[in-house]
Amino acid sequence: MGLFDQTAAMTGASEKSLQRSGIAFRKIYVHPANHAGYYPGAEQMTLKLLFDPESGRILGAQGIGGAGVDKRIDVLAIAIQAGMTVFDLEEVELAYAPQYGSAKDPVNMAGFVAAGLLRGDHPQIDVATLMEQSPEERPLLLDVRTAEEYAAGHFLDAVNISIDELRSRLDELPTDRRIATYCQVGQRGYLATRVLLQAGYDVVNVSGGYKTFRLFNPEKDSAGN
């Protein structure tokens, strides 16, 4: 579906239909570019993937953005029809050229993030779950972007330690409280999660990062609750 200058598409089950049917699922968000970032004209998209929490079987997907959204939803539609899992998405080989796609396609990236969640090497929390928690229940929010990015906008009562400084500032973080890391779209948050896991912290990454938070909460300022 075309909407202004954006493309919106979906395949399979939606989150609401799965909830109505009582079907268990997990979800992840990614915000990749439609082709290699170093090639001019790359456009960002948002993909949401729904999958079975035990087997990883793909249940549904939605996407919105500019060029390339329809292509990725077509691929995911066939994956659903074929009964594929998020682990299969990690391995799919798709057509590649810098002006058409990245060596790691957005479909692969969705698979990496979802499979990492199920394997346990990339524990995550989604924005909706985070926002449902009271301030007392929430984990410590750790913004691992640069100080400039943090100053331009952050969510809730997050503290800022950039990913480049994290290893040298671990002693500033509590060891008796869960930590939720986030960055702009998820990649630096993932790296921070791995650093903290290896140091013995109880940590999760906010799926889709600050960009996903702003999509769900466009009206909230940096200190919104």
Side-chain angles (χ1 to χ4, degrees):
M1 177 182 70
L3 183 66
F4 301 107
D5 60 345
Q6 298 282 288
T7 297
M10 68 172 292
T11 185
S14 68
E15 183 172 350
K16 288 182 179 179
S17 68
L18 291 171
Q19 290 172 336
R20 286 196 300 266
S21 300
I23 298 173
F25 67 92
R26 292 297 303 267
K27 60 185 175 183
I28 60 94
Y29 298 88
V30 292
H31 304 282
N34 68 309
H35 62 61
Y38 59 81
Y39 192 90
E43 299 179 35
Q44 193 173 53
M45 68 180 73
T46 293
L47 293 177
K48 175 182 179 181
L49 190 67
L50 304 161
F51 50 95
D52 183 275
E54 298 297 328
S55 68
R57 183 171 61 89
I58 304 159
L59 303 174
Q62 293 99 51
I64 188 167
V69 170
D70 57 328
K71 170 184 174 180
R72 275 68 189 201
I73 294 298
D74 278 346
V75 171
L76 293 168
I78 293 299
I80 292 172
Q81 186 174 350
M84 295 172 69
T85 70
V86 297
F87 306 106
D88 295 318
L89 295 187
E90 293 182 293
E91 306 295 335
V92 294
E93 293 283 348
L94 300 172
Y96 165 69
Q99 67 269 44
Y100 298 115
S102 299
K104 294 179 180 178
D105 191 85
V107 171
N108 297 123
M109 296 307 299
F112 294 147
V113 174
L117 186 158
L118 294 187
R119 278 194 293 262
D121 54 22
H122 185 186
Q124 297 165 56
I125 185 170
D126 60 77
V127 169
T129 299
L130 188 66
M131 296 301 293
E132 288 170 357
Q133 297 176 340
S134 68
E136 294 75 24
E137 295 174 315
R138 287 181 195 135
L140 172 68
L141 286 158
L142 177 63
D143 187 321
V144 297
R145 299 175 299 163
T146 65
E148 292 76 16
E149 289 175 291
Y150 178 82
H154 56 275
F155 64 81
L156 307 175
D157 52 351
V159 298
N160 178 223
I161 301 177
S162 75
I163 182 63
D164 294 333
E165 300 175 341
L166 183 58
R167 290 186 187 276
S168 63
R169 297 177 60 183
L170 289 177
D171 59 353
E172 298 178 30
L173 298 172
T175 56
D176 59 350
R177 182 180 176 188
R178 171 169 269 202
I179 297 171
T181 66
Y182 77 90
C183 61
Q184 191 66 17
V185 297
Q187 184 175 8
R188 286 173 288 175
Y190 163 71
L191 296 175
T193 300
R194 294 300 306 161
V195 169
L196 292 171
L197 281 173
Q198 292 168 13
Y201 287 85
D202 178 12
V203 59
V204 292
N205 187 20
V206 179
S207 181
Y210 184 67
K211 183 174 180 65
T212 299
F213 172 78
R214 296 304 295 174
L215 289 173
F216 279 89
N217 303 278
E219 77 288 353
K220 291 189 181 298
D221 60 22
S222 297
N225 286 301

